[in-house]
Amino acid sequence: MTEITRPRHILPIIILAQFLGTSTWFAGNAILPELQSEWLLSDYALAPLTNSVQWGFISGALLFGFLALSDRISPRVLFFLCATLCGASSLIISNSAQTLDQVLWLRFFSGMMLAGIYPVGMKIATGWYPQGLGRALGYLIGALVLGTATPHLLSSLPNTSWREVMALVGVAAVTGGALILCFVPDGPNLTQGAPINLRALAEIVRCKPLRAAVGGYLGHSWELYAMWALAPIWLLAWNQSHEQSLNSAFWTSMIIATGAFGCVVAGIWSRTYGSLAIAKNMLIVSGICCLVSPLMMLAPIWLVLPFWFIWGFSVVADSAQFSALSAQTAPSSVLGSALTLINALGYVTTALAVELIAVLIGTVPVGWLAWCLLPGPILGIWSLRSLKQSTEVTASA
């Protein structure tokens, strides 16, 4: 394939826009403590605040896939429209929301629009980076992780209200859309896809290597977002147990942000060791973190923070590797449909895990809640073992 000549600014702008556009994703979790205080919400509010976005993203991804919107509309224009609408919904929450129901509906809409930011941003990158796509996608997933951490960082700032947090992430999303529209034209390698073909579901079940890769991805998904949702609750419980004043919002943002570094490093490692080995080892590390988390509730701060940074690094470092494994094992005839449906299944899994955590808060000690996430790494490791027996898969450079 002929090497594409591209301006140097293309990848940095896509990465920055992806970061700004996805900064709304975990904003509901970041503002939860203030909403609980102001609106007298229970701990269970964690589930709807998190899952309204997750279910919105699932709905949007399937809708966009069935309509093939990123083929009917220029991806850069679609990214701009979705980022603008996503930002507008956050600004409406900031200015007008008075009840939890209003927030949840607007967060659901934000999730739908995120389906036009995260996956479409990857398609834009594909149009410019047919070679070395793995490296570009590693950076983009890292940008998503940083975006996820941003609302927690904003809420940790002194004298910053939840309405100001929502306003800031709203402006960020609109800015990200404008950057793509103004500075990133459609790439020369942009290809047409096809609407979702439900026959891909049968292929996922029938194809043993793909089924194994999907099992690993679903195990990873069970742990990932629930761990991010659990982190501030766990740190607050540790504060109370040790009578400390650790800024849980700030350290949650740092823990999640560590995962961005993990995505980039795992992408580099995969070029030497392969996606399969990296995904399996990251699941082992994060599974060990799940296992020992109750003991960490008794540990001093100099152990607690390194523990959470290791967990934050490993829990998401394998995300891009699972994307690579699914792409490499899916039949080419249904590749696009299979990846869209696998992504949707993954986010359904994240919603179920968060729901379980929220149900158990108040009845299970916080330090033990992470054990609910252990089935994810266990399933993932077992599935990847099956994949190794079926076929040896290595990452694309």
Side-chain angles (χ1 to χ4, degrees):
M1 183 180 294
T2 304
E3 180 71 27
I4 289 176
T5 301
R6 51 188 169 256
R8 287 185 174 182
H9 73 271
I10 292 293
L11 185 58
I13 291 293
I14 297 174
I15 293 170
L16 178 59
Q18 188 90 308
F19 160 67
L20 293 172
T22 58
S23 64
T24 64
W25 206 311
F26 242 47
N29 298 73
I31 66 173
L32 175 59
E34 274 198 78
L35 290 184
Q36 286 179 305
S37 175
E38 185 172 326
W39 291 351
L40 304 177
L41 304 178
S42 70
D43 288 336
Y44 181 73
L46 170 72
L49 271 172
T50 304
N51 288 342
S52 56
V53 179
Q54 303 300 81
W55 290 117
F57 180 82
I58 295 162
S59 302
L62 293 175
L63 177 64
F64 288 13
F66 278 116
L67 298 178
L69 280 184
S70 63
D71 295 320
R72 300 173 186 270
I73 303 172
S74 164
R76 57 192 282 270
V77 173
L78 182 60
F79 187 105
F80 167 73
L81 291 174
C82 290
T84 300
L85 291 172
C86 184
S89 67
S90 294
L91 290 170
I92 293 171
I93 291 174
S94 172
N95 291 319
S96 307
Q98 299 297 329
T99 66
L100 179 61
D101 284 344
Q102 292 173 351
V103 172
L104 295 181
W105 280 111
L106 287 164
R107 295 293 291 156
F108 179 85
F109 180 75
S110 293
M112 290 189 68
M113 294 303 99
L114 282 164
I117 297 174
Y118 172 38
V120 174
M122 291 190 171
K123 179 162 186 174
I124 293 170
T126 302
W128 284 103
Y129 291 86
Q131 302 100 3
L133 181 59
R135 179 175 66 92
L137 294 187
Y139 288 137
L140 289 177
I141 294 176
L144 165 66
V145 176
L146 284 178
T148 303
T150 298
H152 285 287
L153 179 61
L154 293 174
S155 67
S156 73
L157 299 176
N159 303 317
T160 303
S161 71
W162 70 265
R163 292 188 185 274
E164 290 170 330
V165 171
M166 295 305 300
L168 288 169
V169 298
V171 170
V174 173
T175 303
L179 286 173
I180 288 289
L181 186 67
C182 295
F183 299 109
V184 182
D186 290 333
N189 195 56
L190 190 64
T191 58
Q192 293 289 309
I196 290 178
N197 180 356
L198 291 180
R199 185 166 59 90
L201 278 175
E203 292 292 344
I204 293 172
V205 175
R206 187 183 304 121
C207 178
K208 188 175 181 180
L210 178 58
R211 189 170 69 241
V214 171
Y217 171 63
L218 295 182
H220 155 82
S221 299
W222 178 264
E223 181 188 13
L224 177 58
Y225 277 85
M227 178 273 199
W228 283 347
L230 178 62
I233 298 167
W234 194 101
L235 291 173
L236 183 60
W238 183 91
N239 262 345
Q240 294 170 346
S241 174
H242 293 259
E243 298 182 347
Q244 299 292 316
S245 56
L246 192 71
N247 188 328
S248 59
F250 172 79
W251 287 109
T252 297
S253 71
M254 294 297 102
I255 289 163
I256 295 175
T258 303
F261 179 65
C263 290
V264 174
V265 171
I268 296 170
W269 285 345
S270 70
R271 300 179 69 177
T272 301
Y273 303 107
S275 291
L276 180 58
I278 298 304
K280 183 177 180 180
N281 284 308
M282 290 300 102
L283 281 173
I284 290 172
V285 173
S286 62
I288 291 172
C289 290
C290 286
L291 187 65
V292 304
S293 62
L295 291 176
M296 287 296 106
M297 187 60 74
L298 306 175
I301 188 64
W302 59 269
L303 279 179
V304 165
L305 290 179
F307 161 77
W308 274 98
F309 284 134
I310 292 170
W311 200 359
F313 179 101
S314 60
V315 76
V316 71
D318 46 6
S319 286
Q321 309 316 312
F322 282 115
S323 297
L325 290 171
S326 297
Q328 291 158 8
T329 54
S332 58
S333 59
V334 293
L335 177 59
S337 296
L339 293 180
T340 300
L341 292 171
I342 290 167
N343 199 34
L345 287 172
Y347 277 92
V348 169
T349 304
T350 69
L352 295 175
V354 170
E355 186 75 28
L356 178 61
I357 291 291
V359 167
L360 294 178
I361 290 176
T363 59
V364 174
V366 171
W368 293 91
L369 283 175
W371 275 27
C372 299
L373 309 184
L374 262 176
I378 292 171
L379 169 66
I381 294 165
W382 179 82
S383 293
L384 292 185
R385 178 175 176 272
S386 173
L387 176 61
K388 185 175 182 180
Q389 292 171 347
S390 302
T391 182
E392 289 297 327
V393 183
T394 57
S396 299

